[in-house]
Amino acid sequence: YNDTQSVLGYCSVPLLSSILGELAAGVYRVPMDLIKQRQQAGHGTSTAEIFRGVRSTHSSIFFASYLASFNRDVMHSGLQFPTYEYLKLALSR
């Protein structure tokens, strides 16, 4: 029980920091993903035209894209970073 408590306490900081990091990264990543998706779908003839189209996008689309990206990325980093910290702790003993 005590070992479990110490490991959970040790891994909670990486879990929280990975979630906050994904929140911050999503602010940059979501608009870039929208530009990339619109280029691949052929919604414009130039990058500048696509960029103007993304700038005029309704905020609900940004919010939906942000939630989808956040849910995907938090699951990954929420497992990766605490697992790394746990293994680092376990292997150092």
Side-chain angles (χ1 to χ4, degrees):
Y1 176 77
N2 288 336
D3 288 338
T4 304
Q5 285 296 91
S6 66
V7 168
L8 287 176
Y10 189 74
C11 290
S12 63
V13 171
L15 177 62
L16 182 62
S17 61
S18 69
I19 290 171
L20 292 175
E22 291 299 335
L23 277 170
V27 172
Y28 171 77
R29 197 178 302 143
V30 168
M32 292 298 120
D33 281 344
L34 285 174
I35 290 171
K36 179 180 65 175
Q37 290 167 2
R38 289 183 182 185
Q39 277 183 323
Q40 290 172 344
H43 284 249
T45 57
S46 68
T47 304
E49 183 181 340
I50 293 171
F51 184 72
R52 282 192 299 272
V54 168
R55 286 185 64 195
S56 65
T57 300
H58 195 267
S59 61
S60 64
I61 293 174
F62 278 112
F63 187 69
S65 298
Y66 187 76
L67 282 180
S69 296
F70 179 70
N71 286 332
R72 178 195 66 214
D73 295 338
V74 162
M75 290 302 198
H76 175 261
S77 64
L79 290 172
Q80 181 184 12
F81 290 117
T83 301
Y84 169 76
E85 291 295 331
Y86 171 75
L87 291 174
K88 188 170 73 170
L89 177 69
L91 294 175
S92 69
R93 290 184 181 180

